[in-house]
Amino acid sequence: MGIEGVGARVARKEDKRFITGAGRYVDDMVVPGMKHAAFVRSPHAHAQIKKIDVKKAQGMPGVIGVLTGKELKADGIGNLICGWMIHSKDGSPMKMGAWSPLAFDRVRYVGDAVVIVVAETKGQARDAAEAVEITYKELKAVVDASKAMDKGAPQIHPEADNNLIFDWDIGNADDTAAAFGKAAHVVKMDIINNRLVPNAMEPRAALGHYDKAEDHYTCWTTSQNPHVARLVMSAFYNVAPENKLRVIAPDVGGGFGSKIYIYPEEIVCLWASKKTGVPVKWVADRTESFLTDAHGRDHHTHAEMAFDKDHRILGLKVETQANLGAYMSLFSSATPTYLYATLLSGQYNIPAIHANVKAIYTNTAPVDAYRGAGRPEATFVMERMMETAARQFGVSPAELRRKNFVTAFPHQTPVIMCYDAGDYAASLDAAMKASDYAGFAKRKAAAAKKGLLRGIGMSCYIEACGIAPSAAVGSLGAGVGLWESAEVRVNAVGTIEVLTGSHSHGQGHETTFAQLVNERFGVPIDSVSIVHGDTDKVQMGMGTYGSRSGAVGMSAIVKALDKVEAKAKKIAAHLLEADEGDIIIENGALKVAGTDKNVPWFQMALAAYTAHNLPGGMEPGLKETAFYDPSNFTFPAGCYICEVEVDPETGVTEIVQFVAADDFGNIINPMIVEGQVHGGLAQGIGQALLEGAHYDNSGQLLTASYMDYTMPRAGDLPSFKVSTSNTPCPGNPLGIKGCGEAGAIGSPPAVINAITDAIGSNDLAMPASPSTVWAAIRAATKH
């Protein structure tokens, strides 16, 4: 490991421009002649559109165009789609209701886009939007998935009877029933995973530009995967042929999954640019983000776990209702199925599992993948169940987990996944040591003397990252492959450009990807440029989500580096009149092993391009491309321990200690990994204690601003103790697993387990706000 190579704590290259205000986001983009857009959105959760009158708005100052859904449909723009086909247990395909980018006959949630107004300024566009007159016939709404299938509930889409999108099974029901028949103990729980709003720092934005002279479209957008956006807008939404559409995702201020998807606004801005003849920019305000960004989680689950007399798990039964909102977002069907139920074995050796998932429409914002995407929901079920079982049995929560850990690898679970490597006991031991688990009783007694209730809780999570391989996910319904691509260009002076299909929106790719190059060739990372986010510059790639940039994106880079290295060694061997097998690369030079003969990297690169003295038959230049399709998921895992103090008079909870022990395999940059874990922990703790999206019965979002939706602040979080162990992943050339989502996956159950331990009541839902905790304490004292 060099000072800038793999494993080094290198400061992020990209941070200089970010902390000095030099980042370039969509809202910073200015195109000659650019105008501004505002959307007219439905104030009703469910209503028929009877009439749209745009005359007054058209006559207002600065207005260039006022466009409706009927015009959009007349121009052949398609409906938004879900890109992962799920079949119900009876074999029928999921029921995907129509989602027009601009509603023209019916609106299905508050915030549904109905009209776009284009004007000279943002203020003029908003003023004119308020002048659009829409006559609605309001219909009955339903916001609770558990009520949406009731007789008499409003029908949201004609395609989905009783609002049921699919009724899906995984595992073996007969084997699981047999396991429960042999059980000495059965633990049962009803578990709610609360709905969340992603709240990326940068709101969504789009700038659409139609160039009439070239008959070409350009879309600047806040996207995690610009190539997928181009593909879908071309192939399914009929915005433009793929060769006539450029998608650029510049600096993006966070995504957390919510910027994977193609939303109505990108489509409409591109279409409106052609209709009006001007470039059209739209930037969401924060309330629009609350209303229309894809929400996360919102599961209602009943789970039962069977144990034998020695407290070994025999079987697991899970029934989940997943609220997908008013429409099916791009990957919404995969989140509560193959990203959730396939992880219900947790870190445990469970012989039999059966899960049923019902996905349901409601009159709420669409729900899709949010940091962790199904894995947090699965972990919350498993780790609340394990903690509850330990309490019911009167045994140590740590030892109950240890007794049931998977210890031999590879391990095939009953729910598709084959775990390739891990050492779960090592993470458990590290977390228990760092938290002084054995000394908790003394700390609890000391807190009691101060009138506080102290509790401790743990969570042993596992996740699946780098979703793959493409053939496997295709057989499960995925509409795209999940490989990644890379191109490595060595310039004539030896500087290097890495063009990657991954997209960075906070992950630090410009640093970590450059560290790979430094490790291989010894060139300074400042001479390495990372290019991403522009479909005209970078070859087709699948983007960033599901902690895939390391395991999949970096592996593609490694394959391209292999090819560059092979050619570079051939050139060096020719220049040095040596055998190719004797060439090594060290400290920015190609050397003949065991001698002082060498050629600097830049001279070798120059030789590749002057082509004056190359091996016979070799093409000039030094540029290589690679595509990498993983052979399996990767499986990061770890143990988190949370310690809290609760004021019984107020219900206020303070996290006094939080320990995270993770196994991410090999690590490229420990400092960046720690930052990713810290951020994930903050989001997971936010879900556990503070965050929750709430609708009233009429479908109005009650938490549509930071006045009502509580985000975690620095004062809500402790100083985290984080550590890593390492069982390298055998499935990719770098041995890495992924770290971006772990904190958000493992932390919520650790927090809730700690609070319930403190208050002596297991009946506690997220978010565990002071009022919720106070009520749980009061309810427990009555029994």
Side-chain angles (χ1 to χ4, degrees), residues 60-119:
M60 293 187 68
V63 171
I64 295 164
V66 183
L67 306 173
T68 67
K70 287 186 177 179
E71 295 168 88
L72 180 134
K73 286 297 164 190
D75 285 347
I77 303 299
N79 292 326
L80 283 86
I81 63 161
C82 177
W84 196 303
M85 173 56 69
I86 296 294
H87 288 84
S88 290
K89 59 186 178 183
D90 64 5
S92 61
M94 65 189 188
K95 307 302 188 292
M96 185 165 58
W99 184 6
S100 173
L102 290 176
F104 60 92
D105 58 349
R106 182 178 292 210
V107 291
R108 293 179 171 87
Y109 74 102
V110 174
D112 219 346
V114 183
V115 174
I116 183 174
V117 177
V118 180

Short mmCIF file of all heavy atoms in Angstrom, two decimals, residues 60-119:
data_model
loop_
_atom_site.label_atom_id
_atom_site.label_comp_id
_atom_site.label_asym_id
_atom_site.label_seq_id
_atom_site.Cartn_x
_atom_site.Cartn_y
_atom_site.Cartn_z
N MET A 60 -50.65 35.73 -18.93
CA MET A 60 -49.91 36.41 -17.87
C MET A 60 -48.51 36.79 -18.32
O MET A 60 -47.96 36.21 -19.27
CB MET A 60 -49.87 35.53 -16.61
CG MET A 60 -51.26 35.35 -15.99
SD MET A 60 -51.21 34.48 -14.42
CE MET A 60 -50.38 35.69 -13.37
N PRO A 61 -47.90 37.78 -17.68
CA PRO A 61 -46.58 38.29 -18.09
C PRO A 61 -45.52 37.19 -18.13
O PRO A 61 -45.41 36.39 -17.21
CB PRO A 61 -46.24 39.33 -17.02
CG PRO A 61 -47.56 39.76 -16.49
CD PRO A 61 -48.44 38.55 -16.54
N GLY A 62 -44.76 37.19 -19.21
CA GLY A 62 -43.62 36.30 -19.33
C GLY A 62 -43.93 34.88 -19.72
O GLY A 62 -43.01 34.07 -19.92
N VAL A 63 -45.19 34.52 -19.83
CA VAL A 63 -45.56 33.13 -20.09
C VAL A 63 -45.29 32.77 -21.55
O VAL A 63 -45.69 33.49 -22.47
CB VAL A 63 -47.03 32.87 -19.72
CG1 VAL A 63 -47.46 31.48 -20.19
CG2 VAL A 63 -47.21 32.98 -18.21
N ILE A 64 -44.64 31.64 -21.75
CA ILE A 64 -44.29 31.16 -23.09
C ILE A 64 -45.17 29.99 -23.50
O ILE A 64 -45.53 29.85 -24.66
CB ILE A 64 -42.81 30.78 -23.14
CG1 ILE A 64 -41.94 32.02 -22.93
CG2 ILE A 64 -42.44 30.08 -24.43
CD1 ILE A 64 -40.51 31.72 -22.58
N GLY A 65 -45.53 29.15 -22.53
CA GLY A 65 -46.37 28.01 -22.84
C GLY A 65 -47.03 27.44 -21.61
O GLY A 65 -46.45 27.47 -20.52
N VAL A 66 -48.24 26.95 -21.78
CA VAL A 66 -48.97 26.25 -20.73
C VAL A 66 -49.47 24.95 -21.35
O VAL A 66 -50.30 24.98 -22.26
CB VAL A 66 -50.15 27.07 -20.17
CG1 VAL A 66 -50.81 26.31 -19.02
CG2 VAL A 66 -49.69 28.44 -19.72
N LEU A 67 -48.93 23.83 -20.91
CA LEU A 67 -49.13 22.56 -21.59
C LEU A 67 -49.80 21.54 -20.68
O LEU A 67 -49.52 21.50 -19.47
CB LEU A 67 -47.79 22.01 -22.08
CG LEU A 67 -46.96 22.96 -22.95
CD1 LEU A 67 -45.58 22.37 -23.23
CD2 LEU A 67 -47.68 23.28 -24.25
N THR A 68 -50.63 20.69 -21.28
CA THR A 68 -51.43 19.74 -20.50
C THR A 68 -51.14 18.30 -20.91
O THR A 68 -50.48 18.04 -21.92
CB THR A 68 -52.93 20.01 -20.70
OG1 THR A 68 -53.27 19.70 -22.07
CG2 THR A 68 -53.27 21.47 -20.41
N GLY A 69 -51.70 17.40 -20.14
CA GLY A 69 -51.51 15.98 -20.40
C GLY A 69 -52.12 15.51 -21.70
O GLY A 69 -51.59 14.58 -22.34
N LYS A 70 -53.20 16.11 -22.13
CA LYS A 70 -53.81 15.70 -23.40
C LYS A 70 -52.89 16.03 -24.57
O LYS A 70 -52.76 15.24 -25.51
CB LYS A 70 -55.17 16.39 -23.57
CG LYS A 70 -56.26 15.82 -22.68
CD LYS A 70 -57.63 16.42 -23.00
CE LYS A 70 -58.71 15.77 -22.13
NZ LYS A 70 -60.06 16.34 -22.41
N GLU A 71 -52.21 17.15 -24.50
CA GLU A 71 -51.25 17.50 -25.55
C GLU A 71 -50.06 16.54 -25.53
O GLU A 71 -49.56 16.12 -26.58
CB GLU A 71 -50.76 18.94 -25.35
CG GLU A 71 -51.84 20.00 -25.53
CD GLU A 71 -51.38 21.35 -25.04
OE1 GLU A 71 -50.78 22.09 -25.85
OE2 GLU A 71 -51.61 21.67 -23.85
N LEU A 72 -49.61 16.19 -24.33
CA LEU A 72 -48.50 15.26 -24.19
C LEU A 72 -48.86 13.91 -24.78
O LEU A 72 -48.06 13.30 -25.51
CB LEU A 72 -48.14 15.16 -22.71
CG LEU A 72 -46.99 14.22 -22.32
CD1 LEU A 72 -46.04 14.90 -21.35
CD2 LEU A 72 -47.53 12.95 -21.68
N LYS A 73 -50.06 13.44 -24.50
CA LYS A 73 -50.50 12.14 -25.04
C LYS A 73 -50.66 12.22 -26.55
O LYS A 73 -50.32 11.26 -27.27
CB LYS A 73 -51.82 11.71 -24.38
CG LYS A 73 -51.65 11.24 -22.95
CD LYS A 73 -50.77 10.01 -22.90
CE LYS A 73 -50.26 9.71 -21.51
NZ LYS A 73 -49.23 8.65 -21.51
N ALA A 74 -51.15 13.34 -27.05
CA ALA A 74 -51.32 13.49 -28.50
C ALA A 74 -49.98 13.42 -29.22
O ALA A 74 -49.91 13.00 -30.39
CB ALA A 74 -52.02 14.81 -28.80
N ASP A 75 -48.90 13.79 -28.53
CA ASP A 75 -47.57 13.74 -29.13
C ASP A 75 -46.90 12.38 -28.94
O ASP A 75 -45.72 12.21 -29.28
CB ASP A 75 -46.68 14.84 -28.54
CG ASP A 75 -47.04 16.21 -29.09
OD1 ASP A 75 -47.79 16.28 -30.09
OD2 ASP A 75 -46.57 17.22 -28.52
N GLY A 76 -47.63 11.43 -28.37
CA GLY A 76 -47.13 10.06 -28.27
C GLY A 76 -46.19 9.78 -27.13
O GLY A 76 -45.52 8.73 -27.12
N ILE A 77 -46.09 10.66 -26.15
CA ILE A 77 -45.23 10.41 -24.99
C ILE A 77 -45.85 9.29 -24.15
O ILE A 77 -47.04 9.32 -23.83
CB ILE A 77 -45.03 11.68 -24.15
CG1 ILE A 77 -44.44 12.80 -25.00
CG2 ILE A 77 -44.15 11.39 -22.94
CD1 ILE A 77 -43.08 12.50 -25.58
N GLY A 78 -45.03 8.32 -23.77
CA GLY A 78 -45.54 7.14 -23.09
C GLY A 78 -45.70 7.31 -21.60
O GLY A 78 -45.27 8.30 -20.99
N ASN A 79 -46.31 6.29 -20.98
CA ASN A 79 -46.48 6.26 -19.53
C ASN A 79 -45.20 5.81 -18.85
O ASN A 79 -44.39 5.09 -19.42
CB ASN A 79 -47.61 5.30 -19.15
CG ASN A 79 -48.96 5.78 -19.58
OD1 ASN A 79 -49.23 6.98 -19.60
ND2 ASN A 79 -49.85 4.85 -19.94
N LEU A 80 -45.04 6.26 -17.59
CA LEU A 80 -43.93 5.77 -16.79
C LEU A 80 -44.16 4.30 -16.46
O LEU A 80 -45.31 3.85 -16.30
CB LEU A 80 -43.79 6.58 -15.51
CG LEU A 80 -43.14 7.96 -15.68
CD1 LEU A 80 -44.18 9.01 -16.06
CD2 LEU A 80 -42.43 8.39 -14.41
N ILE A 81 -43.05 3.55 -16.34
CA ILE A 81 -43.16 2.11 -16.13
C ILE A 81 -42.39 1.67 -14.90
O ILE A 81 -41.54 2.38 -14.39
CB ILE A 81 -42.62 1.33 -17.36
CG1 ILE A 81 -41.11 1.64 -17.54
CG2 ILE A 81 -43.41 1.64 -18.60
CD1 ILE A 81 -40.38 0.62 -18.38
N CYS A 82 -42.71 0.47 -14.47
CA CYS A 82 -41.88 -0.25 -13.49
C CYS A 82 -41.03 -1.24 -14.26
O CYS A 82 -41.54 -1.98 -15.11
CB CYS A 82 -42.76 -0.96 -12.47
SG CYS A 82 -41.82 -1.95 -11.27
N GLY A 83 -39.73 -1.26 -13.98
CA GLY A 83 -38.79 -2.03 -14.79
C GLY A 83 -38.45 -3.41 -14.26
O GLY A 83 -37.48 -4.02 -14.71
N TRP A 84 -39.20 -3.92 -13.29
CA TRP A 84 -38.92 -5.25 -12.76
C TRP A 84 -40.25 -6.01 -12.66
O TRP A 84 -41.10 -5.66 -11.84
CB TRP A 84 -38.24 -5.17 -11.40
CG TRP A 84 -37.59 -6.44 -10.94
CD1 TRP A 84 -38.19 -7.66 -10.78
CD2 TRP A 84 -36.21 -6.63 -10.57
NE1 TRP A 84 -37.29 -8.58 -10.33
CE2 TRP A 84 -36.07 -7.98 -10.20
CE3 TRP A 84 -35.11 -5.80 -10.52
CZ2 TRP A 84 -34.84 -8.51 -9.78
CZ3 TRP A 84 -33.89 -6.32 -10.10
CH2 TRP A 84 -33.76 -7.66 -9.73
N MET A 85 -40.42 -7.02 -13.49
CA MET A 85 -41.67 -7.77 -13.51
C MET A 85 -41.73 -8.78 -12.37
O MET A 85 -40.82 -9.60 -12.20
CB MET A 85 -41.82 -8.49 -14.85
CG MET A 85 -43.01 -9.45 -14.92
SD MET A 85 -44.62 -8.68 -14.53
CE MET A 85 -44.83 -7.63 -15.97
N ILE A 86 -42.78 -8.70 -11.60
CA ILE A 86 -43.05 -9.67 -10.53
C ILE A 86 -44.33 -10.41 -10.88
O ILE A 86 -45.32 -9.79 -11.29
CB ILE A 86 -43.19 -8.96 -9.17
CG1 ILE A 86 -41.88 -8.28 -8.77
CG2 ILE A 86 -43.63 -9.96 -8.09
CD1 ILE A 86 -40.72 -9.22 -8.50
N HIS A 87 -44.31 -11.70 -10.71
CA HIS A 87 -45.51 -12.51 -10.90
C HIS A 87 -46.06 -12.95 -9.55
O HIS A 87 -45.30 -13.32 -8.65
CB HIS A 87 -45.20 -13.73 -11.76
CG HIS A 87 -44.96 -13.40 -13.20
ND1 HIS A 87 -43.73 -12.99 -13.67
CD2 HIS A 87 -45.81 -13.40 -14.27
CE1 HIS A 87 -43.82 -12.76 -14.97
NE2 HIS A 87 -45.05 -13.00 -15.36
N SER A 88 -47.36 -12.91 -9.43
CA SER A 88 -48.01 -13.39 -8.21
C SER A 88 -47.85 -14.90 -8.10
O SER A 88 -47.46 -15.59 -9.05
CB SER A 88 -49.49 -13.02 -8.21
OG SER A 88 -49.66 -11.63 -8.05
N LYS A 89 -48.19 -15.44 -6.94
CA LYS A 89 -48.02 -16.88 -6.71
C LYS A 89 -48.90 -17.72 -7.62
O LYS A 89 -48.61 -18.90 -7.86
CB LYS A 89 -48.28 -17.20 -5.24
CG LYS A 89 -49.66 -16.82 -4.73
CD LYS A 89 -49.76 -17.05 -3.23
CE LYS A 89 -51.12 -16.64 -2.68
NZ LYS A 89 -51.20 -16.79 -1.21
N ASP A 90 -49.95 -17.09 -8.18
CA ASP A 90 -50.78 -17.82 -9.13
C ASP A 90 -50.26 -17.72 -10.56
O ASP A 90 -50.89 -18.22 -11.50
CB ASP A 90 -52.24 -17.35 -9.07
CG ASP A 90 -52.42 -15.90 -9.48
OD1 ASP A 90 -51.43 -15.25 -9.91
OD2 ASP A 90 -53.56 -15.39 -9.39
N GLY A 91 -49.12 -17.06 -10.74
CA GLY A 91 -48.51 -16.94 -12.06
C GLY A 91 -48.90 -15.71 -12.84
O GLY A 91 -48.33 -15.43 -13.90
N SER A 92 -49.84 -14.93 -12.34
CA SER A 92 -50.30 -13.74 -13.06
C SER A 92 -49.30 -12.61 -12.90
O SER A 92 -48.67 -12.46 -11.85
CB SER A 92 -51.67 -13.31 -12.55
OG SER A 92 -51.61 -12.96 -11.18
N PRO A 93 -49.12 -11.79 -13.95
CA PRO A 93 -48.17 -10.67 -13.86
C PRO A 93 -48.70 -9.56 -12.96
O PRO A 93 -49.91 -9.43 -12.75
CB PRO A 93 -48.04 -10.19 -15.31
CG PRO A 93 -49.33 -10.60 -15.96
CD PRO A 93 -49.74 -11.87 -15.29
N MET A 94 -47.78 -8.78 -12.42
CA MET A 94 -48.16 -7.65 -11.57
C MET A 94 -49.09 -6.70 -12.33
O MET A 94 -49.03 -6.58 -13.55
CB MET A 94 -46.92 -6.91 -11.07
CG MET A 94 -46.12 -6.26 -12.16
SD MET A 94 -44.54 -5.63 -11.53
CE MET A 94 -43.96 -4.71 -12.95
N LYS A 95 -49.91 -6.00 -11.59
CA LYS A 95 -50.93 -5.12 -12.17
C LYS A 95 -50.40 -3.68 -12.16
O LYS A 95 -50.51 -2.97 -11.16
CB LYS A 95 -52.24 -5.22 -11.39
CG LYS A 95 -52.75 -6.66 -11.23
CD LYS A 95 -52.98 -7.32 -12.59
CE LYS A 95 -53.68 -8.67 -12.47
NZ LYS A 95 -52.86 -9.70 -11.83
N MET A 96 -49.79 -3.29 -13.29
CA MET A 96 -49.18 -1.96 -13.39
C MET A 96 -50.18 -0.98 -13.95
O MET A 96 -50.57 -1.06 -15.12
CB MET A 96 -47.92 -2.03 -14.26
CG MET A 96 -47.15 -0.73 -14.33
SD MET A 96 -45.48 -0.94 -15.01
CE MET A 96 -45.83 -1.66 -16.61
N GLY A 97 -50.62 -0.03 -13.11
CA GLY A 97 -51.55 0.99 -13.55
C GLY A 97 -50.86 2.06 -14.38
O GLY A 97 -49.66 2.28 -14.27
N ALA A 98 -51.61 2.73 -15.21
CA ALA A 98 -51.05 3.76 -16.09
C ALA A 98 -50.63 4.98 -15.28
O ALA A 98 -51.38 5.46 -14.42
CB ALA A 98 -52.08 4.17 -17.14
N TRP A 99 -49.42 5.48 -15.57
CA TRP A 99 -48.90 6.69 -14.92
C TRP A 99 -48.45 7.65 -16.01
O TRP A 99 -47.36 7.52 -16.55
CB TRP A 99 -47.74 6.33 -13.99
CG TRP A 99 -47.19 7.48 -13.20
CD1 TRP A 99 -47.67 8.76 -13.15
CD2 TRP A 99 -46.04 7.46 -12.34
NE1 TRP A 99 -46.90 9.54 -12.31
CE2 TRP A 99 -45.90 8.77 -11.79
CE3 TRP A 99 -45.13 6.48 -11.98
CZ2 TRP A 99 -44.87 9.09 -10.92
CZ3 TRP A 99 -44.11 6.80 -11.10
CH2 TRP A 99 -43.98 8.10 -10.58
N SER A 100 -49.31 8.57 -16.36
CA SER A 100 -48.97 9.58 -17.36
C SER A 100 -48.09 10.64 -16.72
O SER A 100 -48.36 11.07 -15.60
CB SER A 100 -50.23 10.22 -17.93
OG SER A 100 -49.91 11.30 -18.78
N PRO A 101 -47.04 11.10 -17.44
CA PRO A 101 -46.20 12.16 -16.87
C PRO A 101 -46.98 13.41 -16.49
O PRO A 101 -46.62 14.10 -15.53
CB PRO A 101 -45.20 12.45 -18.00
CG PRO A 101 -45.13 11.18 -18.78
CD PRO A 101 -46.51 10.61 -18.73
N LEU A 102 -48.04 13.71 -17.22
CA LEU A 102 -49.00 14.74 -16.83
C LEU A 102 -50.38 14.09 -16.79
O LEU A 102 -50.84 13.54 -17.80
CB LEU A 102 -49.01 15.91 -17.81
CG LEU A 102 -47.79 16.83 -17.83
CD1 LEU A 102 -47.93 17.88 -18.93
CD2 LEU A 102 -47.57 17.50 -16.48
N ALA A 103 -51.00 14.10 -15.62
CA ALA A 103 -52.32 13.49 -15.49
C ALA A 103 -53.32 14.24 -16.37
O ALA A 103 -53.29 15.47 -16.44
CB ALA A 103 -52.76 13.50 -14.04
N PHE A 104 -54.19 13.50 -17.02
CA PHE A 104 -55.18 14.16 -17.89
C PHE A 104 -56.61 13.73 -17.61
O PHE A 104 -57.55 14.39 -18.04
CB PHE A 104 -54.85 13.90 -19.37
CG PHE A 104 -54.83 12.44 -19.74
CD1 PHE A 104 -55.97 11.81 -20.21
CD2 PHE A 104 -53.68 11.70 -19.60
CE1 PHE A 104 -55.96 10.47 -20.54
CE2 PHE A 104 -53.64 10.36 -19.95
CZ PHE A 104 -54.79 9.73 -20.42
N ASP A 105 -56.80 12.62 -16.92
CA ASP A 105 -58.16 12.18 -16.62
C ASP A 105 -58.40 12.00 -15.12
O ASP A 105 -59.49 12.26 -14.64
CB ASP A 105 -58.48 10.88 -17.35
CG ASP A 105 -57.52 9.75 -16.99
OD1 ASP A 105 -56.49 10.02 -16.34
OD2 ASP A 105 -57.79 8.59 -17.37
N ARG A 106 -57.38 11.59 -14.40
CA ARG A 106 -57.53 11.34 -12.97
C ARG A 106 -56.20 11.59 -12.26
O ARG A 106 -55.13 11.33 -12.82
CB ARG A 106 -57.97 9.88 -12.74
CG ARG A 106 -58.20 9.54 -11.26
CD ARG A 106 -58.68 8.12 -11.09
NE ARG A 106 -60.04 7.94 -11.62
CZ ARG A 106 -60.92 7.07 -11.15
NH1 ARG A 106 -60.60 6.29 -10.14
NH2 ARG A 106 -62.11 6.97 -11.68
N VAL A 107 -56.29 12.13 -11.05
CA VAL A 107 -55.10 12.27 -10.19
C VAL A 107 -55.22 11.28 -9.05
O VAL A 107 -56.33 10.98 -8.60
CB VAL A 107 -54.97 13.71 -9.66
CG1 VAL A 107 -54.61 14.67 -10.78
CG2 VAL A 107 -56.24 14.17 -8.95
N ARG A 108 -54.06 10.80 -8.58
CA ARG A 108 -54.10 9.69 -7.64
C ARG A 108 -53.31 9.94 -6.36
O ARG A 108 -53.27 9.08 -5.49
CB ARG A 108 -53.62 8.41 -8.33
CG ARG A 108 -54.59 7.95 -9.43
CD ARG A 108 -54.10 6.69 -10.14
NE ARG A 108 -55.13 6.15 -11.01
CZ ARG A 108 -55.32 6.52 -12.27
NH1 ARG A 108 -54.52 7.44 -12.82
NH2 ARG A 108 -56.27 5.97 -13.00
N TYR A 109 -52.64 11.09 -6.26
CA TYR A 109 -52.03 11.47 -4.99
C TYR A 109 -51.80 12.97 -5.00
O TYR A 109 -51.74 13.60 -6.06
CB TYR A 109 -50.73 10.70 -4.72
CG TYR A 109 -49.53 11.12 -5.53
CD1 TYR A 109 -48.52 11.92 -4.98
CD2 TYR A 109 -49.37 10.70 -6.85
CE1 TYR A 109 -47.40 12.29 -5.71
CE2 TYR A 109 -48.25 11.06 -7.59
CZ TYR A 109 -47.27 11.86 -7.02
OH TYR A 109 -46.18 12.22 -7.75
N VAL A 110 -51.70 13.54 -3.81
CA VAL A 110 -51.43 14.97 -3.71
C VAL A 110 -50.02 15.23 -4.21
O VAL A 110 -49.05 14.69 -3.69
CB VAL A 110 -51.58 15.45 -2.25
CG1 VAL A 110 -51.15 16.91 -2.13
CG2 VAL A 110 -53.02 15.28 -1.78
N GLY A 111 -49.92 16.05 -5.26
CA GLY A 111 -48.64 16.30 -5.89
C GLY A 111 -48.55 15.75 -7.30
O GLY A 111 -47.59 16.04 -8.03
N ASP A 112 -49.54 14.95 -7.72
CA ASP A 112 -49.59 14.45 -9.09
C ASP A 112 -49.51 15.63 -10.06
O ASP A 112 -50.29 16.59 -9.96
CB ASP A 112 -50.91 13.69 -9.29
CG ASP A 112 -50.75 12.43 -10.14
OD1 ASP A 112 -49.71 12.29 -10.79
OD2 ASP A 112 -51.69 11.61 -10.16
N ALA A 113 -48.59 15.58 -11.02
CA ALA A 113 -48.42 16.70 -11.96
C ALA A 113 -49.54 16.70 -12.99
O ALA A 113 -49.88 15.65 -13.56
CB ALA A 113 -47.07 16.58 -12.65
N VAL A 114 -50.10 17.89 -13.26
CA VAL A 114 -51.23 18.01 -14.19
C VAL A 114 -50.90 18.95 -15.36
O VAL A 114 -51.23 18.67 -16.50
CB VAL A 114 -52.48 18.52 -13.44
CG1 VAL A 114 -53.68 18.60 -14.39
CG2 VAL A 114 -52.80 17.63 -12.25
N VAL A 115 -50.22 20.05 -15.08
CA VAL A 115 -49.93 21.07 -16.10
C VAL A 115 -48.50 21.57 -15.88
O VAL A 115 -48.05 21.68 -14.74
CB VAL A 115 -50.92 22.25 -16.00
CG1 VAL A 115 -50.53 23.38 -16.96
CG2 VAL A 115 -52.35 21.80 -16.28
N ILE A 116 -47.80 21.88 -16.98
CA ILE A 116 -46.52 22.57 -16.88
C ILE A 116 -46.67 23.96 -17.47
O ILE A 116 -47.27 24.15 -18.53
CB ILE A 116 -45.38 21.81 -17.58
CG1 ILE A 116 -44.04 22.55 -17.38
CG2 ILE A 116 -45.67 21.55 -19.05
CD1 ILE A 116 -42.82 21.82 -17.92
N VAL A 117 -46.12 24.95 -16.77
CA VAL A 117 -46.10 26.33 -17.22
C VAL A 117 -44.65 26.71 -17.47
O VAL A 117 -43.79 26.50 -16.61
CB VAL A 117 -46.73 27.28 -16.18
CG1 VAL A 117 -46.62 28.73 -16.66
CG2 VAL A 117 -48.18 26.91 -15.93
N VAL A 118 -44.36 27.26 -18.65
CA VAL A 118 -43.02 27.72 -19.00
C VAL A 118 -43.07 29.23 -19.15
O VAL A 118 -43.92 29.77 -19.87
CB VAL A 118 -42.53 27.07 -20.31
CG1 VAL A 118 -41.12 27.56 -20.65
CG2 VAL A 118 -42.56 25.55 -20.19
N ALA A 119 -42.15 29.92 -18.45
CA ALA A 119 -42.15 31.38 -18.47
C ALA A 119 -40.72 31.90 -18.41
O ALA A 119 -39.76 31.14 -18.19
CB ALA A 119 -42.97 31.94 -17.31
#
